[in-house]
Coordinates of all heavy atoms in Angstrom, one line a residue:
M1 N 31.2 -11.9 -24.5 CA 30.0 -11.2 -24.1 C 30.3 -9.8 -23.6 O 31.2 -9.7 -22.7 CB 29.2 -12.0 -23.1 CG 27.9 -11.4 -22.8 SD 26.8 -12.5 -21.8 CE 27.0 -11.7 -20.2
T2 N 29.7 -8.8 -24.1 CA 30.0 -7.4 -23.6 C 28.9 -7.0 -22.6 O 27.7 -7.2 -22.8 CB 29.9 -6.5 -24.9 OG1 30.8 -6.9 -25.8 CG2 30.2 -5.1 -24.5
T3 N 29.4 -6.4 -21.5 CA 28.5 -6.0 -20.5 C 28.4 -4.5 -20.5 O 29.4 -3.8 -20.9 CB 28.9 -6.5 -19.1 OG1 30.2 -6.0 -18.9 CG2 28.9 -8.0 -19.0
T4 N 27.3 -3.9 -20.1 CA 27.1 -2.5 -20.0 C 27.4 -2.0 -18.6 O 27.7 -0.8 -18.5 CB 25.7 -2.1 -20.5 OG1 24.8 -2.7 -19.7 CG2 25.5 -2.4 -21.9
L5 N 27.2 -2.8 -17.7 CA 27.5 -2.4 -16.3 C 28.6 -3.4 -15.7 O 28.6 -4.6 -16.1 CB 26.2 -2.5 -15.4 CG 25.1 -1.6 -15.7 CD1 23.9 -1.9 -14.9 CD2 25.6 -0.1 -15.5
P6 N 29.4 -2.9 -14.8 CA 30.4 -3.8 -14.2 C 29.8 -4.6 -13.1 O 30.5 -4.9 -12.1 CB 31.4 -2.8 -13.7 CG 30.7 -1.5 -13.4 CD 29.6 -1.5 -14.4
L7 N 28.6 -4.9 -13.1 CA 27.9 -5.7 -12.1 C 27.4 -7.1 -12.6 O 27.0 -7.1 -13.8 CB 26.7 -5.0 -11.5 CG 27.0 -3.6 -10.8 CD1 25.7 -3.0 -10.5 CD2 27.8 -3.8 -9.6
T8 N 27.5 -8.1 -11.8 CA 26.8 -9.3 -12.1 C 25.3 -9.1 -12.0 O 24.9 -8.2 -11.4 CB 27.3 -10.4 -11.2 OG1 26.9 -10.1 -9.9 CG2 28.8 -10.6 -11.2
P9 N 24.5 -10.0 -12.6 CA 23.1 -9.9 -12.5 C 22.6 -9.9 -11.0 O 21.7 -9.1 -10.6 CB 22.5 -11.1 -13.2 CG 23.6 -11.4 -14.3 CD 24.9 -11.1 -13.6
G10 N 23.3 -10.7 -10.2 CA 22.9 -10.7 -8.7 C 23.2 -9.4 -8.0 O 22.4 -8.9 -7.3
K11 N 24.3 -8.8 -8.3 CA 24.7 -7.5 -7.7 C 23.8 -6.4 -8.2 O 23.4 -5.5 -7.5 CB 26.2 -7.2 -8.0 CG 27.1 -8.1 -7.2 CD 28.5 -7.7 -7.4 CE 29.5 -8.7 -6.7 NZ 30.9 -8.4 -7.0
A12 N 23.5 -6.5 -9.5 CA 22.6 -5.5 -10.1 C 21.2 -5.6 -9.4 O 20.6 -4.6 -9.1 CB 22.4 -5.6 -11.6
A13 N 20.7 -6.8 -9.2 CA 19.4 -7.0 -8.5 C 19.4 -6.4 -7.1 O 18.5 -5.8 -6.6 CB 19.0 -8.4 -8.5
L14 N 20.5 -6.7 -6.4 CA 20.7 -6.1 -5.1 C 20.7 -4.6 -5.1 O 20.1 -3.9 -4.2 CB 21.9 -6.7 -4.4 CG 21.8 -8.1 -3.8 CD1 23.2 -8.5 -3.3 CD2 20.8 -8.2 -2.8
A15 N 21.4 -4.0 -6.0 CA 21.5 -2.6 -6.1 C 20.1 -2.0 -6.4 O 19.7 -1.0 -5.8 CB 22.4 -2.2 -7.2
V16 N 19.3 -2.6 -7.2 CA 18.0 -2.1 -7.5 C 17.1 -2.3 -6.2 O 16.4 -1.3 -5.9 CB 17.3 -2.9 -8.7 CG1 15.8 -2.6 -8.8 CG2 18.0 -2.6 -10.0
A17 N 17.2 -3.4 -5.6 CA 16.4 -3.6 -4.3 C 16.8 -2.6 -3.3 O 15.9 -2.1 -2.6 CB 16.6 -5.1 -3.9
W18 N 18.1 -2.4 -3.1 CA 18.5 -1.5 -2.0 C 18.1 0.0 -2.3 O 17.7 0.7 -1.5 CB 20.0 -1.6 -1.8 CG 20.4 -2.9 -1.2 CD1 19.6 -3.8 -0.6 CD2 21.7 -3.4 -1.1 NE1 20.4 -4.9 -0.2 CE2 21.7 -4.6 -0.5 CE3 23.0 -2.9 -1.5 CZ2 22.8 -5.4 -0.2 CZ3 24.1 -3.6 -1.2 CH2 24.0 -4.9 -0.6
T19 N 18.2 0.3 -3.6 CA 17.8 1.7 -4.0 C 16.3 1.9 -3.8 O 15.9 2.9 -3.3 CB 18.2 2.0 -5.5 OG1 19.6 1.8 -5.6 CG2 17.9 3.3 -5.9
A20 N 15.6 0.9 -4.2 CA 14.1 0.9 -4.0 C 13.7 1.0 -2.6 O 12.8 1.6 -2.2 CB 13.4 -0.2 -4.7
A21 N 14.5 0.3 -1.7 CA 14.2 0.3 -0.3 C 14.4 1.7 0.3 O 13.6 2.2 1.1 CB 15.0 -0.7 0.5
V22 N 15.4 2.4 -0.2 CA 15.7 3.8 0.3 C 14.6 4.7 -0.2 O 14.1 5.5 0.5 CB 17.1 4.3 -0.2 CG1 17.2 5.8 0.1 CG2 18.2 3.5 0.5
V23 N 14.2 4.5 -1.5 CA 13.1 5.3 -2.0 C 11.8 5.0 -1.3 O 11.0 6.0 -1.0 CB 12.9 5.1 -3.6 CG1 11.7 5.7 -4.1 CG2 14.2 5.6 -4.3
A24 N 11.5 3.8 -0.9 CA 10.3 3.4 -0.2 C 10.4 4.1 1.2 O 9.3 4.6 1.7 CB 10.2 1.9 0.0
A25 N 11.5 4.1 1.9 CA 11.6 4.7 3.2 C 11.4 6.2 3.1 O 10.7 6.8 4.0 CB 13.0 4.4 3.8
W26 N 11.9 6.8 2.0 CA 11.6 8.2 1.8 C 10.1 8.5 1.6 O 9.6 9.5 2.1 CB 12.5 8.7 0.6 CG 12.4 10.2 0.3 CD1 12.2 11.2 1.2 CD2 12.5 10.7 -1.0 NE1 12.1 12.4 0.5 CE2 12.3 12.1 -0.8 CE3 12.7 10.2 -2.2 CZ2 12.4 13.0 -1.9 CZ3 12.7 11.1 -3.3 CH2 12.6 12.5 -3.1
G27 N 9.5 7.6 0.9 CA 8.0 7.7 0.6 C 7.2 7.6 1.9 O 6.3 8.4 2.2
V28 N 7.6 6.6 2.7 CA 6.9 6.5 4.0 C 7.1 7.7 4.9 O 6.2 8.2 5.6 CB 7.4 5.2 4.8 CG1 6.9 5.1 6.2 CG2 7.0 4.0 4.0
Y29 N 8.4 8.2 4.9 CA 8.6 9.5 5.6 C 7.8 10.6 5.1 O 7.2 11.4 5.9 CB 10.1 9.8 5.5 CG 10.5 11.1 6.3 CD1 10.8 11.0 7.6 CD2 10.5 12.3 5.6 CE1 11.1 12.2 8.3 CE2 10.8 13.5 6.3 CZ 11.1 13.4 7.6 OH 11.3 14.6 8.3
R30 N 7.7 10.8 3.8 CA 6.9 11.9 3.3 C 5.4 11.8 3.6 O 4.8 12.8 3.9 CB 7.1 12.0 1.8 CG 8.5 12.4 1.3 CD 8.9 13.9 1.7 NE 7.9 14.8 1.1 CZ 8.1 15.5 0.0 NH1 9.2 15.4 -0.7 NH2 7.2 16.4 -0.3
I31 N 4.9 10.6 3.6 CA 3.5 10.4 4.0 C 3.3 10.8 5.5 O 2.4 11.5 5.8 CB 3.1 9.0 3.8 CG1 3.0 8.7 2.3 CG2 1.7 8.7 4.4 CD1 2.9 7.2 1.9
G32 N 4.2 10.3 6.3 CA 4.1 10.6 7.7 C 4.2 12.1 8.0 O 3.5 12.7 8.8
D33 N 5.2 12.7 7.3 CA 5.4 14.2 7.5 C 4.2 15.0 7.0 O 3.8 16.0 7.6 CB 6.7 14.6 6.7 CG 7.1 16.0 6.9 OD1 6.9 16.5 8.0 OD2 7.6 16.7 6.0
H34 N 3.6 14.6 5.9 CA 2.5 15.3 5.3 C 1.3 15.2 6.3 O 0.5 16.1 6.5 CB 2.1 14.7 4.0 CG 0.9 15.2 3.4 ND1 0.8 16.5 2.9 CD2 -0.4 14.7 3.2 CE1 -0.4 16.8 2.4 NE2 -1.1 15.7 2.6
L35 N 1.1 14.0 6.9 CA -0.1 13.8 7.7 C 0.1 14.3 9.2 O -0.8 14.9 9.8 CB -0.5 12.3 7.7 CG -1.0 11.8 6.4 CD1 -1.2 10.3 6.5 CD2 -2.3 12.5 6.0
Y36 N 1.3 14.0 9.8 CA 1.4 14.2 11.2 C 2.7 15.0 11.6 O 2.9 15.2 12.8 CB 1.4 12.9 11.9 CG 0.1 12.1 11.7 CD1 0.1 11.0 10.9 CD2 -1.1 12.6 12.3 CE1 -1.1 10.3 10.7 CE2 -2.2 11.9 12.1 CZ -2.2 10.8 11.3 OH -3.4 10.1 11.0
G37 N 3.6 15.2 10.7 CA 4.8 16.0 11.1 C 6.1 15.1 11.1 O 6.0 13.9 10.9
R38 N 7.2 15.7 11.3 CA 8.5 15.1 11.2 C 8.7 14.0 12.2 O 9.3 12.9 11.9 CB 9.6 16.1 11.3 CG 9.7 17.0 10.1 CD 10.9 17.9 10.2 NE 10.9 18.7 9.0 CZ 11.8 19.7 8.8 NH1 12.7 19.9 9.7 NH2 11.8 20.4 7.7
A39 N 8.3 14.2 13.5 CA 8.6 13.2 14.5 C 7.8 11.9 14.2 O 8.4 10.8 14.3 CB 8.1 13.7 15.9
V40 N 6.6 12.0 13.8 CA 5.8 10.8 13.5 C 6.4 10.2 12.2 O 6.5 8.9 12.1 CB 4.3 11.1 13.3 CG1 3.6 10.0 12.7 CG2 3.7 11.6 14.6
A41 N 6.8 11.0 11.3 CA 7.4 10.4 10.0 C 8.7 9.6 10.3 O 8.9 8.5 9.8 CB 7.7 11.6 9.1
T42 N 9.5 10.1 11.2 CA 10.7 9.4 11.6 C 10.4 8.1 12.3 O 11.0 7.1 12.0 CB 11.6 10.3 12.5 OG1 11.9 11.5 11.8 CG2 12.9 9.6 12.9
A43 N 9.4 8.2 13.2 CA 9.0 7.0 13.9 C 8.4 5.9 12.9 O 8.7 4.7 13.1 CB 8.0 7.3 15.0
L44 N 7.7 6.4 11.9 CA 7.1 5.4 10.9 C 8.2 4.7 10.2 O 8.2 3.5 10.0 CB 6.2 6.2 9.9 CG 4.8 6.5 10.4 CD1 4.2 7.4 9.3 CD2 4.0 5.3 10.6
V45 N 9.2 5.5 9.7 CA 10.3 4.9 9.0 C 11.1 3.9 9.9 O 11.5 2.8 9.4 CB 11.3 5.9 8.4 CG1 12.5 5.3 7.8 CG2 10.5 6.8 7.4
V46 N 11.4 4.3 11.1 CA 12.1 3.3 12.0 C 11.3 2.1 12.3 O 11.8 1.0 12.2 CB 12.4 4.1 13.4 CG1 12.9 3.1 14.4 CG2 13.4 5.2 13.1
L47 N 10.0 2.2 12.5 CA 9.1 1.1 12.8 C 9.1 0.2 11.5 O 9.1 -1.0 11.6 CB 7.7 1.5 13.2 CG 7.6 2.0 14.6 CD1 6.2 2.6 14.9 CD2 8.0 1.0 15.6
W48 N 8.9 0.8 10.3 CA 8.9 0.1 9.1 C 10.2 -0.7 8.8 O 10.2 -1.8 8.3 CB 8.6 1.0 8.0 CG 8.5 0.4 6.6 CD1 7.5 -0.4 6.2 CD2 9.4 0.6 5.6 NE1 7.8 -0.8 4.9 CE2 8.9 -0.2 4.5 CE3 10.6 1.3 5.4 CZ2 9.6 -0.3 3.2 CZ3 11.2 1.2 4.2 CH2 10.7 0.5 3.1
A49 N 11.3 -0.1 9.2 CA 12.6 -0.7 9.0 C 12.9 -1.9 9.9 O 13.7 -2.7 9.6 CB 13.7 0.3 9.1
V50 N 12.3 -1.9 11.1 CA 12.6 -2.9 12.1 C 11.6 -4.1 12.1 O 11.8 -5.0 12.9 CB 12.9 -2.4 13.5 CG1 14.0 -1.4 13.5 CG2 11.6 -1.7 14.1
L51 N 10.6 -4.0 11.3 CA 9.6 -5.1 11.3 C 10.3 -6.3 10.8 O 11.2 -6.2 10.0 CB 8.4 -4.7 10.4 CG 7.4 -3.7 10.9 CD1 6.4 -3.3 9.9 CD2 6.7 -4.2 12.2
P52 N 9.8 -7.5 11.2 CA 10.5 -8.7 10.8 C 10.5 -8.9 9.3 O 11.5 -9.4 8.7 CB 9.7 -9.8 11.4 CG 9.1 -9.2 12.6 CD 8.8 -7.8 12.2
Q53 N 9.5 -8.5 8.6 CA 9.5 -8.7 7.1 C 10.4 -7.7 6.4 O 10.6 -7.9 5.2 CB 8.1 -8.6 6.5 CG 7.4 -7.3 6.6 CD 6.6 -7.1 7.9 OE1 6.8 -7.8 8.8 NE2 5.7 -6.2 7.8
S54 N 11.0 -6.8 7.1 CA 11.9 -5.8 6.4 C 13.2 -6.5 6.0 O 13.9 -5.9 5.1 CB 12.2 -4.6 7.4 OG 13.0 -5.1 8.5
V55 N 13.5 -7.7 6.4 CA 14.7 -8.4 5.9 C 14.5 -8.6 4.4 O 15.5 -8.7 3.7 CB 14.9 -9.7 6.7 CG1 13.9 -10.7 6.4 CG2 16.3 -10.2 6.5
E56 N 13.3 -8.7 3.9 CA 13.1 -8.9 2.5 C 13.5 -7.7 1.7 O 13.7 -7.8 0.5 CB 11.6 -9.3 2.2 CG 11.3 -10.7 2.8 CD 9.8 -11.0 2.6 OE1 9.1 -10.1 2.1 OE2 9.4 -12.1 3.0
L57 N 13.7 -6.6 2.3 CA 14.1 -5.4 1.6 C 15.6 -5.4 1.3 O 16.0 -4.6 0.4 CB 13.7 -4.1 2.4 CG 12.3 -3.9 2.8 CD1 12.2 -2.7 3.7 CD2 11.4 -3.7 1.5
T58 N 16.3 -6.3 1.9 CA 17.7 -6.3 1.7 C 18.2 -7.4 0.7 O 19.4 -7.6 0.5 CB 18.5 -6.6 3.0 OG1 18.1 -7.8 3.6 CG2 18.1 -5.5 4.0
I59 N 17.2 -8.2 0.2 CA 17.6 -9.2 -0.8 C 16.9 -8.9 -2.1 O 16.1 -8.0 -2.2 CB 17.2 -10.6 -0.2 CG1 15.7 -10.7 0.1 CG2 18.0 -11.0 0.9 CD1 15.2 -12.0 0.7
A60 N 17.3 -9.6 -3.1 CA 16.8 -9.3 -4.5 C 15.4 -9.8 -4.7 O 15.2 -10.6 -5.6 CB 17.8 -9.9 -5.5
Y61 N 14.5 -9.3 -3.9 CA 13.0 -9.6 -4.2 C 12.4 -8.3 -4.6 O 13.0 -7.3 -4.6 CB 12.4 -10.1 -2.9 CG 12.6 -11.5 -2.4 CD1 12.1 -12.0 -1.2 CD2 13.4 -12.3 -3.2 CE1 12.4 -13.3 -0.8 CE2 13.7 -13.6 -2.8 CZ 13.1 -14.1 -1.6 OH 13.4 -15.4 -1.2
T62 N 11.1 -8.4 -5.0 CA 10.4 -7.3 -5.5 C 9.7 -6.5 -4.4 O 9.1 -5.5 -4.7 CB 9.4 -7.7 -6.6 OG1 8.5 -8.6 -6.0 CG2 10.0 -8.3 -7.8
E63 N 9.8 -6.9 -3.2 CA 9.1 -6.2 -2.1 C 9.5 -4.7 -2.0 O 8.7 -3.9 -1.7 CB 9.3 -6.9 -0.8 CG 8.4 -8.0 -0.5 CD 8.8 -9.3 -1.3 OE1 9.8 -9.3 -1.9 OE2 8.0 -10.2 -1.2
S64 N 10.8 -4.4 -2.1 CA 11.3 -3.1 -2.0 C 10.7 -2.2 -3.1 O 10.3 -1.1 -2.9 CB 12.8 -3.0 -1.9 OG 13.4 -3.6 -3.0
L65 N 10.8 -2.7 -4.3 CA 10.2 -2.0 -5.5 C 8.7 -1.7 -5.3 O 8.2 -0.6 -5.5 CB 10.5 -2.7 -6.8 CG 10.0 -2.0 -8.0 CD1 10.6 -0.7 -8.2 CD2 10.2 -3.0 -9.2
F66 N 8.0 -2.8 -4.9 CA 6.6 -2.7 -4.7 C 6.3 -1.6 -3.6 O 5.4 -0.8 -3.7 CB 6.0 -4.0 -4.3 CG 4.6 -3.9 -3.8 CD1 3.5 -3.7 -4.7 CD2 4.3 -4.1 -2.5 CE1 2.2 -3.6 -4.3 CE2 2.9 -4.0 -2.0 CZ 1.9 -3.7 -2.9
S67 N 7.1 -1.7 -2.5 CA 6.8 -0.8 -1.4 C 7.1 0.7 -1.8 O 6.3 1.6 -1.4 CB 7.8 -1.1 -0.2 OG 7.5 -2.4 0.3
A68 N 8.1 0.9 -2.6 CA 8.4 2.2 -3.0 C 7.3 2.8 -3.9 O 6.8 3.9 -3.8 CB 9.7 2.3 -3.8
L69 N 6.8 1.9 -4.9 CA 5.8 2.4 -5.8 C 4.5 2.6 -5.0 O 3.7 3.6 -5.3 CB 5.6 1.3 -6.9 CG 6.8 1.2 -7.9 CD1 6.6 0.0 -8.7 CD2 6.9 2.5 -8.7
A70 N 4.1 1.7 -4.1 CA 2.9 1.9 -3.3 C 3.0 3.1 -2.4 O 2.0 3.8 -2.3 CB 2.7 0.6 -2.5
A71 N 4.1 3.3 -1.7 CA 4.2 4.5 -0.8 C 4.1 5.8 -1.6 O 3.3 6.7 -1.2 CB 5.5 4.4 -0.1
W72 N 4.8 5.9 -2.7 CA 4.7 7.1 -3.5 C 3.3 7.3 -4.2 O 2.9 8.4 -4.3 CB 5.8 7.2 -4.5 CG 7.1 7.6 -3.7 CD1 8.1 6.8 -3.4 CD2 7.4 8.9 -3.3 NE1 9.0 7.5 -2.7 CE2 8.6 8.8 -2.6 CE3 6.8 10.2 -3.3 CZ2 9.3 9.9 -2.0 CZ3 7.4 11.3 -2.8 CH2 8.6 11.1 -2.1
S73 N 2.7 6.2 -4.5 CA 1.4 6.3 -5.1 C 0.4 6.9 -4.0 O -0.4 7.8 -4.3 CB 0.9 4.9 -5.5 OG -0.4 5.0 -6.1
L74 N 0.5 6.4 -2.8 CA -0.3 6.9 -1.7 C 0.0 8.4 -1.4 O -0.9 9.2 -1.2 CB -0.1 6.1 -0.4 CG -0.8 6.6 0.8 CD1 -2.3 6.7 0.6 CD2 -0.5 5.7 2.0
Y75 N 1.3 8.7 -1.5 CA 1.6 10.1 -1.2 C 1.0 11.0 -2.3 O 0.4 12.1 -1.9 CB 3.2 10.3 -1.3 CG 3.6 11.7 -1.1 CD1 3.6 12.3 0.1 CD2 4.0 12.4 -2.2 CE1 4.0 13.6 0.3 CE2 4.5 13.7 -2.1 CZ 4.4 14.3 -0.8 OH 4.8 15.6 -0.7
W76 N 1.0 10.6 -3.5 CA 0.4 11.4 -4.6 C -1.1 11.5 -4.5 O -1.7 12.5 -4.9 CB 0.9 11.0 -5.9 CG 2.3 11.3 -6.1 CD1 3.3 10.5 -6.4 CD2 3.0 12.6 -6.0 NE1 4.5 11.1 -6.5 CE2 4.4 12.4 -6.2 CE3 2.5 13.9 -5.7 CZ2 5.3 13.5 -6.2 CZ3 3.5 14.9 -5.7 CH2 4.8 14.7 -5.9
V77 N -1.7 10.4 -4.0 CA -3.2 10.4 -3.7 C -3.5 11.5 -2.6 O -4.4 12.3 -2.8 CB -3.7 9.1 -3.2 CG1 -5.1 9.2 -2.6 CG2 -3.7 8.1 -4.4
L78 N -2.7 11.5 -1.6 CA -2.9 12.5 -0.5 C -2.6 13.9 -1.0 O -3.2 14.9 -0.5 CB -1.9 12.2 0.6 CG -2.2 10.9 1.4 CD1 -1.0 10.7 2.4 CD2 -3.5 11.0 2.1
K79 N -1.8 14.1 -2.0 CA -1.5 15.4 -2.6 C -2.5 15.8 -3.8 O -2.3 16.8 -4.4 CB -0.1 15.5 -3.1 CG 0.9 15.5 -2.0 CD 0.9 16.8 -1.3 CE 2.2 17.2 -0.7 NZ 2.3 18.5 -0.2
D80 N -3.4 14.9 -4.1 CA -4.4 15.1 -5.2 C -3.7 15.2 -6.5 O -4.1 15.9 -7.4 CB -5.3 16.3 -5.0 CG -6.3 16.1 -3.8 OD1 -6.7 15.0 -3.6 OD2 -6.6 17.1 -3.2
R81 N -2.6 14.4 -6.7 CA -1.9 14.3 -8.0 C -2.3 13.0 -8.6 O -1.5 12.0 -8.5 CB -0.4 14.5 -7.8 CG 0.0 15.8 -7.1 CD -0.1 17.0 -8.0 NE 0.6 16.9 -9.3 CZ 1.8 17.3 -9.4 NH1 2.5 18.0 -8.5 NH2 2.4 17.2 -10.6
W82 N -3.4 12.9 -9.2 CA -4.0 11.6 -9.6 C -3.3 10.9 -10.7 O -3.2 9.7 -10.7 CB -5.5 11.8 -9.9 CG -6.3 12.3 -8.7 CD1 -6.7 13.6 -8.5 CD2 -6.6 11.5 -7.6 NE1 -7.3 13.6 -7.2 CE2 -7.3 12.4 -6.7 CE3 -6.4 10.2 -7.3 CZ2 -7.8 11.9 -5.5 CZ3 -6.9 9.7 -6.0 CH2 -7.6 10.6 -5.2
L83 N -2.7 11.7 -11.6 CA -2.0 11.0 -12.7 C -0.8 10.3 -12.2 O -0.5 9.2 -12.6 CB -1.7 12.0 -13.8 CG -2.8 12.5 -14.7 CD1 -2.4 13.5 -15.7 CD2 -3.5 11.3 -15.4
W84 N 0.0 11.0 -11.3 CA 1.2 10.3 -10.7 C 0.8 9.1 -9.9 O 1.4 8.1 -10.0 CB 1.9 11.3 -9.9 CG 2.9 12.2 -10.7 CD1 2.7 13.5 -11.0 CD2 4.1 11.8 -11.3 NE1 3.8 13.9 -11.7 CE2 4.6 12.9 -11.9 CE3 4.8 10.6 -11.3 CZ2 5.8 12.8 -12.6 CZ3 6.0 10.5 -12.0 CH2 6.5 11.6 -12.7
A85 N -0.3 9.3 -9.1 CA -0.8 8.2 -8.3 C -1.2 7.0 -9.2 O -0.8 5.8 -8.8 CB -1.9 8.6 -7.4
G86 N -1.9 7.3 -10.2 CA -2.3 6.2 -11.1 C -1.2 5.5 -11.8 O -1.2 4.3 -11.9
R87 N -0.2 6.3 -12.3 CA 0.9 5.7 -12.9 C 1.7 4.8 -12.0 O 2.1 3.7 -12.3 CB 1.8 6.7 -13.5 CG 1.3 7.5 -14.7 CD 2.2 8.5 -15.2 NE 1.5 9.3 -16.2 CZ 1.7 10.6 -16.3 NH1 2.4 11.3 -15.4 NH2 1.0 11.3 -17.3
L88 N 2.0 5.3 -10.8 CA 2.8 4.5 -9.8 C 2.0 3.3 -9.4 O 2.6 2.2 -9.1 CB 3.2 5.4 -8.7 CG 4.2 6.5 -9.0 CD1 4.4 7.4 -7.8 CD2 5.5 5.9 -9.5
A89 N 0.7 3.4 -9.2 CA -0.1 2.3 -8.8 C -0.1 1.2 -9.9 O -0.1 0.0 -9.6 CB -1.6 2.7 -8.5
A90 N -0.2 1.6 -11.2 CA -0.1 0.7 -12.3 C 1.2 -0.1 -12.3 O 1.3 -1.3 -12.5 CB -0.3 1.4 -13.6
L91 N 2.3 0.7 -12.0 CA 3.6 0.0 -11.9 C 3.7 -0.9 -10.8 O 4.3 -2.0 -10.8 CB 4.7 1.1 -11.9 CG 5.0 1.9 -13.2 CD1 5.9 3.0 -12.9 CD2 5.4 0.9 -14.3
A92 N 3.1 -0.5 -9.6 CA 3.1 -1.4 -8.5 C 2.3 -2.7 -8.8 O 2.7 -3.8 -8.4 CB 2.4 -0.7 -7.3
G93 N 1.3 -2.6 -9.6 CA 0.5 -3.8 -10.0 C 1.3 -4.7 -11.0 O 1.2 -5.9 -11.0
L94 N 2.3 -4.1 -11.7 CA 3.1 -4.8 -12.6 C 4.3 -5.5 -11.8 O 4.9 -6.4 -12.3 CB 3.6 -4.0 -13.7 CG 2.6 -3.5 -14.7 CD1 3.2 -2.5 -15.7 CD2 2.0 -4.7 -15.5
S95 N 4.6 -4.9 -10.7 CA 5.8 -5.4 -9.9 C 5.5 -6.7 -9.2 O 6.4 -7.5 -8.9 CB 6.4 -4.4 -9.0 OG 5.5 -4.1 -7.9
R96 N 4.3 -6.9 -8.7 CA 3.9 -8.0 -8.0 C 2.4 -8.4 -8.3 O 1.6 -7.4 -8.5 CB 4.0 -7.8 -6.5 CG 5.3 -7.5 -6.0 CD 5.4 -7.4 -4.5 NE 4.7 -8.4 -3.8 CZ 5.3 -9.6 -3.5 NH1 6.5 -9.9 -3.9 NH2 4.6 -10.5 -2.9
P97 N 2.0 -9.6 -8.3 CA 0.6 -9.9 -8.6 C -0.3 -9.3 -7.6 O -1.4 -8.8 -7.9 CB 0.6 -11.5 -8.4 CG 2.0 -11.9 -8.7 CD 2.8 -10.8 -8.2
S98 N 0.1 -9.2 -6.3 CA -0.8 -8.6 -5.3 C -0.8 -7.0 -5.4 O -1.6 -6.4 -4.8 CB -0.4 -9.0 -3.9 OG 1.0 -8.5 -3.7
G99 N 0.0 -6.5 -6.3 CA 0.1 -5.1 -6.5 C -1.1 -4.5 -7.1 O -1.3 -3.2 -7.0
F100 N -1.9 -5.3 -7.7 CA -3.2 -4.7 -8.3 C -4.1 -4.2 -7.3 O -5.0 -3.4 -7.6 CB -3.9 -5.8 -9.2 CG -3.1 -6.0 -10.5 CD1 -2.4 -7.2 -10.7 CD2 -3.2 -5.1 -11.5 CE1 -1.7 -7.4 -11.8 CE2 -2.5 -5.3 -12.7 CZ -1.7 -6.4 -12.9
A101 N -3.9 -4.5 -6.0 CA -4.7 -4.0 -4.9 C -4.4 -2.5 -4.8 O -5.3 -1.7 -4.5 CB -4.4 -4.7 -3.6
V102 N -3.2 -2.1 -5.0 CA -2.8 -0.7 -5.0 C -3.6 0.1 -6.1 O -4.1 1.2 -5.8 CB -1.3 -0.4 -5.1 CG1 -0.9 1.0 -5.1 CG2 -0.6 -1.1 -4.0
A103 N -3.5 -0.5 -7.3 CA -4.2 0.2 -8.4 C -5.7 0.3 -8.1 O -6.4 1.3 -8.4 CB -4.0 -0.6 -9.7
A104 N -6.3 -0.8 -7.5 CA -7.7 -0.8 -7.2 C -8.0 0.3 -6.1 O -9.1 1.0 -6.2 CB -8.2 -2.2 -6.7
A105 N -7.1 0.4 -5.2 CA -7.3 1.4 -4.1 C -7.3 2.9 -4.7 O -8.1 3.7 -4.3 CB -6.3 1.3 -3.0
V106 N -6.3 3.1 -5.6 CA -6.3 4.4 -6.2 C -7.5 4.7 -7.1 O -8.0 5.8 -7.1 CB -5.0 4.6 -7.0 CG1 -5.0 5.8 -7.9 CG2 -3.8 4.6 -6.1
L107 N -7.9 3.7 -7.8 CA -9.1 3.8 -8.6 C -10.3 4.1 -7.7 O -11.2 4.9 -8.1 CB -9.3 2.5 -9.4 CG -10.5 2.6 -10.4 CD1 -10.2 3.7 -11.5 CD2 -10.6 1.2 -11.1
A108 N -10.4 3.4 -6.6 CA -11.6 3.6 -5.7 C -11.5 5.0 -5.1 O -12.5 5.7 -4.8 CB -11.6 2.6 -4.6
A109 N -10.3 5.6 -4.8 CA -10.2 6.9 -4.3 C -10.6 7.9 -5.3 O -11.1 9.0 -5.0 CB -8.8 7.2 -3.8

């Protein structure tokens, strides 16, 4: 069997989850910075990272991908970039069954 990446499926899933968690943290930061400034944005990321459910961001679950897509979708709603917001909300809906709430929220906005 020929592989394209030097990673096992489990390691690849972890790499995707960790990368998505960093992208989600960046999205949370950008939302906080846009609304209230850098200090609040930093506090938001720290609080988001220490919540008990944040442990799920470090394992190969879809929470980190969903969080990244939802955060950036909200950011683009705040910036009035509706096509980006809609695309990311649709992807969030595809990443988790409960993700369709993000798409519904963007549609309502």
